[in-house]
């Protein structure tokens, strides 16, 4: 349990949030949301004790332990993987080290014997004898093979370290768990493992994430940082989003009578609580929604970018034909081979692979930026494409301002260009910023504005949600669902794939798996798992 009392955080004259009074209790998972810069990570750092609040206090339950997902992936480079995980339980680790020192002494005294006796009692109480096997089980669940358990952290890749840091945070069943973007750099199988783990976690969890499906799967509550305040709502992210949008529409429709508004909100709560996704918390979440006071539902102050793709012409019957396409790396690794398929009208295709380099190589090839090792592709004469690459660095290596930068990619005067930048939430003096100083999220919004100028009837998107905040992801997602052209994309965002794709193509070293089915069905199908074994050559 975590109790937050009268907490405020202020930097100079800027107040992130003030007068926060909240209680986070066992058995619940709280998803923390807010616009970029609202203070999500700052709130977690304040709770963890990494930084002091300007006012107020934060208390844990008596004798409770707090565990935090570390963002420092180099701190443990001189330790083995197993030791790094066990160091997540600082009390147990300290006892283990003290035991080792005492047992190694040659001149073991009676006083040492008494001390060892005390340590052994605590060691047993903290389940120390199972510490190594528990740490190994966590690592295996997160995809870290046993062969790596005794390697030094400094020998591992960045993505492997991310998983080990997560195992460290989870180790020892902490009473309170703080997770800041825990799904970053995790593949979908590992994310599903984490969802199941947290779904059965019986203590208190606070999590910041841009992954909407993850938030919906694990969270019983939503903590919204908005208007300089922090408010707690029953329900997951989708409930918060849909209810805040409903409240905003009601606010804009001033003619609606108060009683009609109340009925509409009550009906919405009933419908939503009846369709809560399956998880351990389903029953309690449902009860909380049913008890929710309609006065608690308020419109958000969030600004959602205007991501609107409008094809200039309808695509013809011939979209894209791919024949015998193959790509090998310079080291001879086969990313994909013998790729044959046609894109049909209305197809919105997500491309998958165990090797993410495969999707990027495929998109670069069909955009003419990379040569295939073998095979060819052919676009239909009616097709106009707009491409969002994974790496946009080269686009921003200049000191042009945003208006001049965007003007390179379309025809129109300054007012016209500003209108597209305005859709992407660049206003006033912001449009005169130099593009080489933009953040990752700002660059992505510029690239989306560039795409909108094309009026394309086929969008090619390589991990389009990277660097975007929840508001931009939601706006992007909403538009693609109704977009009238073709979409070819890759993504790590489960919700994005599930709601946009109507066809799935998995690129493998031995051809493709090509299915017209929903993503949820694809990842759970035993038939697909057998096909994957065959195509990847699994034993």
């Amino acid at each position: 349990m975590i109790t937050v009392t009268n907490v405020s955080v202020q930097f100079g004259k800027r107040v992130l949030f003030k007068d926060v009074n909240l209680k986070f209790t066992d058995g619940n998972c709280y998803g923390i949301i807010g616009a970029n810069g609202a203070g999500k990570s700052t709130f977690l750092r304040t709770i963890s004790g990494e930084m002091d609040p300007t006012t107020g206090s934060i208390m844990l339950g008596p004798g409770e332990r707090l565990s935090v997902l570390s963002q420092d992936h180099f701190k443990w480079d001189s330790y083995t993987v197993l030791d790094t995980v066990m160091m997540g339980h600082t009390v147990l680790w300290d006892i283990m080290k003290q035991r080792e020192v005492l047992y190694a002494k040659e001149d073991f005294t009676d006083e040492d014997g008494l001390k060892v006796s005390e340590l052994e009692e605590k060691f047993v109480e903290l389940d120390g004898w199972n510490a190594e096997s528990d740490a190994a089980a966590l690592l295996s669940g997160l995809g870290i093979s046993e062969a790596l358990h005794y390697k030094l952290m400094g020998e591992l890749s960045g993505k492997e370290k991310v998983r080990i840091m997560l195992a460290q945070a989870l180790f020892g069943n902490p009473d309170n768990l703080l997770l800041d973007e825990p799904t970053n750099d995790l593949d979908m199988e590992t994310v599903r493992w984490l969802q199941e783990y947290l779904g059965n976690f019986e203590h208190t969890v606070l999590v910041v994430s841009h992954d909407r499906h993850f938030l919906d799967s694990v969270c019983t509550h939503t903590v919204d940082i908005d208007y300089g305040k922090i408010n707690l709502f029953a329900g997951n992210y989708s409930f918060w989003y849909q209810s805040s949008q409903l409240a905003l529409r009601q606010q804009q429709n001033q003619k609606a009578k108060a009683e009609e508004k109340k009925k509409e909100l009550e009906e919405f709560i009933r419908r939503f609580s009846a369709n809560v996704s399956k998880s351990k918390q389903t029953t309690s979440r449902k009860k909380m929604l049913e008890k929710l006071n309609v006065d608690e539902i308020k419109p958000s102050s969030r600004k959602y970018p205007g991501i609107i793709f409008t094809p200039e012409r309808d695509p013809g019957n011939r979209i894209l034909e791919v024949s015998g396409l193959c790509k090998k790396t310079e080291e001879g690794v086969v990313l994909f081979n013998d790729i044959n398929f046609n894109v049909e009208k209305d197809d919105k295709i997500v491309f998958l692979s165990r090797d993410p380099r495969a999707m990027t190589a495929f998109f670069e090839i069909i955009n003419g930026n990379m040569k295939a090792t073998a095979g060819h592709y052919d676009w239909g004469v009616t097709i106009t494409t707009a491409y969002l690459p994974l790496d946009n660095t080269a686009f921003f290596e200049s000191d042009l301002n945003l208006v001049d930068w965007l003007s390179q990619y379309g025809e129109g005067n300054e007012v016209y260009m500003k209108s597209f930048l305005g859709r992407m939430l660049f206003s006033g003096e912001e449009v005169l910023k130099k593009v080489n100083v933009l953040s990752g999220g700002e660059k992505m919004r510029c690239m989306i504005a560039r795409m909108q100028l094309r009026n394309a009837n086929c969008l090619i998107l390589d991990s389009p949600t990277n660097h975007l905040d929840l508001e931009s992801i939601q706006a992007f997602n909403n538009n693609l669902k109704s977009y009238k052209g073709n979409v070819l994309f890759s993504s790590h965002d489960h919700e994005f794939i599930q709601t946009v794709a109507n066809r799935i193509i998995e690129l493998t070293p031995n051809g493709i798996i090509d299915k017209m089915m929903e993503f949820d069905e694809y990842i759970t199908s035993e038939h697909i798992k057998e096909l994957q074994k065959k195509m990847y050559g699994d034993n």
Side-chain angles (χ1 to χ4, degrees), residues 173 194-203 279-281:
N173 196 28
L194 181 58
Q195 286 173 187
E196 186 175 344
Y197 183 94
L198 293 178
N200 292 306
F201 191 73
E202 296 182 349
H203 301 300
S279 74
K280 182 181 75 67
Q281 302 99 335

Side-chain angles (χ1 to χ4, degrees), residues 87-233:
M87 288 167 76
H89 194 327
T90 54
V91 175
L92 176 59
W93 180 255
D94 184 53
I95 290 170
M96 292 169 72
K97 293 295 103 181
Q98 289 185 60
R99 286 171 75 249
E100 285 179 17
V101 170
L102 288 170
Y103 283 132
K105 288 182 70 173
E106 292 182 4
D107 53 341
F108 196 84
T109 66
D110 289 343
E111 188 179 340
D112 291 332
L114 289 172
K115 181 64 176 174
V116 164
S117 178
E118 291 175 9
L119 290 173
E120 288 293 353
E121 188 177 341
K122 292 177 183 176
F123 184 71
V124 170
E125 188 181 315
L126 295 173
D127 202 21
W129 292 112
N130 292 318
E132 195 163 313
S133 60
D134 289 346
L138 277 173
L139 288 166
S140 297
L142 288 163
I144 301 297
S145 68
E146 195 173 336
L148 299 178
H149 290 186
Y150 293 96
K151 282 186 174 290
L152 293 179
M153 287 287 286
E155 300 176 53
L156 304 185
S157 70
K159 289 190 176 181
E160 288 167 336
K161 286 182 177 181
V162 166
R163 297 173 186 222
I164 295 160
M165 292 298 92
L166 186 52
Q168 184 191 68
L170 300 176
F171 178 71
N173 196 28
D175 302 290
N176 303 282
L177 183 58
L178 308 185
L179 303 173
D180 194 351
E181 296 293 354
T183 63
N184 280 3
D185 291 318
L186 299 184
D187 59 30
M188 289 186 176
E189 186 176 344
T190 309
V191 172
R192 288 199 296 275
W193 179 91
L194 181 58
Q195 286 173 187
E196 186 175 344
Y197 183 94
L198 293 178
N200 292 306
F201 191 73
E202 296 182 349
H203 301 300
T204 306
V205 184
L206 274 68
V207 60
V208 171
S209 178
H210 286 109
D211 186 328
R212 296 163 299 159
H213 184 265
F214 179 75
L215 290 175
D216 281 350
S217 297
V218 303
C219 292
T220 57
H221 296 73
T222 298
V223 179
D224 182 34
I225 305 180
D226 201 5
Y227 301 106
K229 297 181 180 180
I230 301 183
N231 293 305
L232 178 63
F233 300 98

Side-chain angles (χ1 to χ4, degrees), residues 495-520:
E495 185 75 8
F496 206 89
I497 299 173
Q498 174 66 16
T499 55
V500 173
N502 57 20
R503 182 177 174 186
I504 298 170
I505 293 180
E506 186 160 357
L507 306 172
T508 84
N510 296 295
I512 63 171
I513 302 172
D514 186 353
K515 295 293 179 181
M516 300 287 291
M517 61 169 58
E518 288 193 344
F519 182 60
D520 281 342

Side-chain angles (χ1 to χ4, degrees), residues 318-476:
R318 190 162 161 270
I319 314 294
L320 173 65
E321 297 173 356
V322 177
S323 179
L325 212 61
C326 169
K327 182 61 182 177
K328 297 179 182 178
T329 67
E330 291 181 0
E331 297 79 24
V333 177
V334 179
L335 298 179
F336 52 79
N337 188 35
D338 195 26
I339 304 301
N340 300 279
F341 68 90
N342 293 339
V343 177
E344 307 293 341
K345 241 184 173 182
D346 300 322
D347 275 352
K348 294 181 179 178
I349 307 173
V350 63
F351 290 84
L352 309 175
S353 178
R354 289 185 183 175
D355 190 336
R357 294 177 299 175
M359 286 89 77
T360 295
F362 176 74
F363 292 145
E364 287 289 297
I365 289 167
I366 64 173
N367 278 282
N369 301 330
M370 180 185 288
K371 287 188 177 180
T373 306
H376 63 273
Y377 66 93
D378 192 21
W379 288 101
V381 294
T382 64
I383 304 305
T384 305
T385 62
Y387 179 36
L388 185 67
L390 179 67
D391 183 3
N392 59 36
T393 306
F395 289 88
F396 297 96
E397 293 174 344
S398 76
D399 61 356
L400 293 173
N401 64 43
L402 269 64
V403 175
D404 292 340
W405 180 87
L406 189 59
S407 298
Q408 299 174 102
Y409 304 109
E411 296 180 0
N413 59 25
E414 183 176 311
V415 173
Y416 183 69
M417 294 301 159
K418 283 182 176 179
S419 71
F420 279 89
L421 291 168
R423 286 186 195 175
M424 300 311 299
L425 306 182
F426 294 107
S427 59
E429 294 298 312
E430 283 186 311
V431 300
L432 300 178
K433 285 172 69 171
K434 304 293 185 184
V435 296
N436 55 12
V437 300
L438 298 177
S439 69
E442 288 172 327
K443 287 177 181 177
M444 282 293 284
R445 285 188 277 132
C446 283
M447 292 296 287
I448 295 168
R450 171 182 173 270
M451 290 181 70
Q452 290 180 91
L453 285 173
R454 297 274 296 164
N455 292 323
N457 54 21
C458 182
L459 306 179
I460 304 168
L461 312 168
D462 194 353
S463 300
T465 61
N466 282 10
H467 302 294
L468 293 180
D469 56 24
L470 274 171
E471 291 71 48
S472 298
I473 292 170
Q474 191 74 58
F476 209 156

